[in-house]
């Protein structure tokens, strides 16, 4: 069923193939850059992959959809996280089926997995520090985060392993071991960061681990931008030739459990991200990405060192500057009342969240669903692109009117003076 949401119309309806079993994945078919869009009457073609790894092209019988499949065979990939076999597999998508490219045997129960959210919207590929130097984010839309639980053998203790993979090549970009971690585990990934919320039964608390990936590329300065020449042209890179990222990681203590997590989305990706959490206390909570920042400098205290890890020193390239306002690392991540989106309302048993951009860059729309439904706009950096309700419109109108009157008067006298000079 294809639906056009604004008018509520269904431009096309088609039954699934009779041989198709349970749905496993949907891959939209997009034309290459600068290519003509498919002429299917506004219907988006896509590939349907079932749990038997059969590939179907929809809408069926569409010549443009078949041409898109033929043109996109070298850039269509599919991955599967198999809980039963405790493995992750990657496939290339062909017209006649899937071809397995790689397989990773984890050997541990998979407790959570997540792919980057909001890949269809623009993002800011760099981070500008306080001294105007640039950190290049590791943006890879093919990232896959997988969390597994490892038992402690004879003891009752458990631990978690976090794997960040490239779903095209199967390369492990980062692996982290979390001692004492246990289910329930919730993962969310967006842009160049991964956030994991989990329970630590040994210390009877909840914790949040954030991993942020950066490129090893150094800032070449403004002269390279001005005289870089052909090096600044947009180039397409293969996933097989990407350099390994530099990971930064920190862990925080969180005072509540979580049932679902999501990230905010905006049209241009300029507004800082926020992590939206559905708490077990039946509240919806927002925490800014600036608080979950692995670049926060450590203070030489025992508590910070115990939670953050042994090697707390940041590389000099990623260390915050004096001009940059980055709060120092604190083990406890507080739940502030002003960041509670539900205020006095209770939203129970939230199973998932959906966020979408609005017409304003400062505002993201968040919808939570479960036993209760909750919808709210979220402004991570306040309404910086909206005039306040107390804005003095009268002064604005008077200023514009005065400028128009002065322009008309000066134009009249200037033209009159020019005419008099010609008659002399």
């Amino acid at each position: 069923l294809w639906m056009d949401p604004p008018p509520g119309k269904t431009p096309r309806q088609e039954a699934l193939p009779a041989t198709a079993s349970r749905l496993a994945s949907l891959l939209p078919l997009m034309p290459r850059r600068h290519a003509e869009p498919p002429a299917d009457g506004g219907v988006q073609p896509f590939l349907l992959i079932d749990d038997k790894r059969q590939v179907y092209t929809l809408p069926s019988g569409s010549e443009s959809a078949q041409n898109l499949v033929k043109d996109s065979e070298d850039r269509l990939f599919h991955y599967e996280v198999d809980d039963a076999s405790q493995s992750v597999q990657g496939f290339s998508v062909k017209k006649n089926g899937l071809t397995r490219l790689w397989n990773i045997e984890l050997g541990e129960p998979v407790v959570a997995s997540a792919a980057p959210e909001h890949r269809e919207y623009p993002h800011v590929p760099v981070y500008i520090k306080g001294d105007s130097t640039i950190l290049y984010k590791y943006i890879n839309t093919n990232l896959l985060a997988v969390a597994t639980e490892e038992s402690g053998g004879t003891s009752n203790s458990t631990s978690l392993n976090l794997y960040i993979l490239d779903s095209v090549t199967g390369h492990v970009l980062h692996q982290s071991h979390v001692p004492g971690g246990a289910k329930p585990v919730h993962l969310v990934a967006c842009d160049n960061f991964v956030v994991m919320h989990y329970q630590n039964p040994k210390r009877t608390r909840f914790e949040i681990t954030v991993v942020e990936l950066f490129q090893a590329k150094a800032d070449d300065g403004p002269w390279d931008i001005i005289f870089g020449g052909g090096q600044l042209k947009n180039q397409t890179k293969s996933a097989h030739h990407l350099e390994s990222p530099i990971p930064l990681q920190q862990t925080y203590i969180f005072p509540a459990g979580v049932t679902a997590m999501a990230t905010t989305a905006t049209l241009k990706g300029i507004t800082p991200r926020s992590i939206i959490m559905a708490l077990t206390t039946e509240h919806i909570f927002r925490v800014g990405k600036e608080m979950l920042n692995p670049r926060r400098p450590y203070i030489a205290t025992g508590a910070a060192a115990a939670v953050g890890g042994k090697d707390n020193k940041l590389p000099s390239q990623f260390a915050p500057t004096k001009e940059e306002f980055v709060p120092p690392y604190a083990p406890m991540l507080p739940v502030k009342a002003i960041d509670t989106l539900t205020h006095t309302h209770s939203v129970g048993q939230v199973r998932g969240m959906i966020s979408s951009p609005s017409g304003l860059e400062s505002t993201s729309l968040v919808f939570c669903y479960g036993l209760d439904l909750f919808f709210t706009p979220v402004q991570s950096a306040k309404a910086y692109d909206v005039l306040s309700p107390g804005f003095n419109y009268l002064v604005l109108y008077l200023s514009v009117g005065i400028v128009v009157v002065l322009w008309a008067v000066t134009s009249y006298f200037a033209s009159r003076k020019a005419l008099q000079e010609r008659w002399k």
Side-chain angles (χ1 to χ4, degrees):
L1 180 66
W2 286 262
M3 179 175 288
D4 190 4
K9 297 181 180 180
T10 55
R12 186 180 179 90
Q13 185 173 354
E14 182 177 337
L16 292 176
T19 56
S21 56
R22 188 165 59 91
L23 176 65
S25 178
L26 286 176
L27 294 178
L29 294 172
M30 306 301 295
R32 293 182 183 271
R33 188 175 298 175
H34 307 306
E36 292 293 332
D40 281 324
V43 174
Q44 169 66 50
F46 61 88
L47 291 179
L48 185 150
I49 304 175
D50 63 6
D51 58 349
K52 296 181 180 179
R53 298 174 183 169
Q54 299 296 319
V55 181
Y56 305 90
T57 305
L58 296 176
S60 59
S62 172
E63 183 178 353
S64 60
Q66 299 294 335
N67 293 334
L68 278 177
V69 174
K70 184 178 179 181
D71 186 55
S72 306
E73 280 190 342
D74 60 334
R75 56 191 180 95
L76 291 177
F77 300 91
H78 170 72
Y79 69 86
E80 293 181 359
V81 181
D82 195 339
D83 298 342
S85 62
Q86 301 177 359
S87 64
V88 184
Q89 304 177 56
F91 305 86
S92 64
V93 181
K94 304 297 181 181
K95 185 178 180 180
N96 55 352
L98 301 179
T99 302
R100 190 167 73 176
L101 299 177
W102 53 270
N103 178 46
I104 298 179
E105 298 289 342
L106 300 174
E108 300 164 355
V110 178
V111 293
S113 62
E117 297 183 353
H118 314 308
R119 290 177 289 185
E120 64 274 22
Y121 302 118
H123 55 264
V124 179
V126 298
Y127 179 83
I128 303 176
K129 299 173 64 176
D131 57 355
S132 299
T133 57
I134 293 176
L135 296 178
Y136 293 89
K137 300 179 182 178
Y138 183 84
I139 303 294
N140 187 350
T141 57
N142 301 313
L143 283 182
L144 173 63
V146 179
T148 62
E149 187 178 43
E150 177 184 353
S151 61
T154 56
S155 62
N156 295 328
S157 63
T158 60
S159 59
L160 297 175
N161 288 316
L162 176 62
Y163 302 90
I164 301 180
L165 316 171
D166 188 316
S167 60
V168 172
T169 63
H171 295 161
V172 179
L173 304 176
H174 176 67
Q175 180 179 353
S176 178
H177 181 71
V178 183
K183 298 184 293 184
V185 178
H186 297 276
L187 278 175
V188 65
C190 188
D191 294 340
N192 66 321
F193 65 87
V194 177
V195 176
M196 180 174 66
H197 179 280
Y198 56 92
Q199 185 182 9
N200 192 329
K202 185 177 180 180
R203 300 187 177 181
T204 62
R205 68 190 185 194
F206 295 97
E207 296 178 356
I208 293 179
T209 293
V210 55
V211 179
E212 196 160 357
L213 305 178
F214 291 93
Q215 297 184 34
K217 179 181 178 181
D219 182 20
D220 298 324
W223 296 111
D224 185 71
I225 298 177
I226 298 174
F227 302 104
Q231 297 179 359
L232 297 178
K233 294 181 180 179
N234 189 14
Q235 299 177 354
T236 302
K237 291 185 178 181
S238 170
H240 295 271
H241 299 91
L242 294 177
E243 297 181 359
S244 299
I246 298 178
L248 302 180
Q249 179 176 331
Q250 276 185 350
T251 301
Y252 299 87
I253 302 172
F254 196 67
V258 166
T259 60
M261 289 199 308
T263 60
T264 55
T266 57
L267 283 174
K268 302 299 181 181
I270 300 174
T271 305
R273 303 281 187 185
S274 287
I275 312 299
I276 310 299
M277 304 179 183
L279 306 182
T280 53
T281 57
E282 299 187 349
H283 290 91
I284 307 299
F285 178 69
R286 181 196 73 87
V287 56
K289 180 58 181 63
E290 67 276 5
M291 297 303 296
L292 293 173
N293 184 4
R295 294 181 57 243
R296 292 175 62 177
Y298 286 93
I299 301 176
T301 59
V307 178
K310 296 180 179 179
D311 189 11
N312 295 333
K313 188 177 181 180
L314 285 173
S316 58
Q317 179 183 355
F318 305 102
T321 60
K322 294 181 180 180
E323 301 85 358
E324 186 179 2
F325 178 73
V326 177
Y329 175 78
M332 178 65 70
L333 193 66
V335 176
K336 300 179 181 179
I338 58 175
D339 292 329
T340 303
L341 304 179
T342 49
H343 304 290
T344 58
H345 303 285
S346 297
V347 181
Q349 300 183 25
V350 177
R351 294 188 292 108
M353 297 180 180
I354 300 174
S355 62
S356 176
S358 66
L360 300 174
E361 174 60 25
S362 63
T363 307
S364 177
L365 305 178
V366 176
F367 176 70
C368 309
Y369 58 91
L371 178 63
D372 297 327
L373 304 179
F374 181 75
F375 173 80
T376 182
V378 177
Q379 296 173 335
S380 301
K382 298 184 179 180
Y384 61 85
D385 54 355
V386 179
L387 295 177
S388 63
F391 184 79
N392 197 334
Y393 289 93
L394 179 60
V395 174
L396 176 64
Y397 295 148
L398 288 175
S399 301
V400 174
I402 292 172
V403 170
V404 172
V405 171
L406 290 177
W407 170 80
V409 171
T410 53
S411 299
Y412 169 75
F413 282 108
S415 61
R416 184 179 177 181
K417 183 178 179 181
L419 181 62
Q420 290 176 352
E421 289 179 353
R422 290 184 180 182
W423 280 101
K424 287 182 180 181

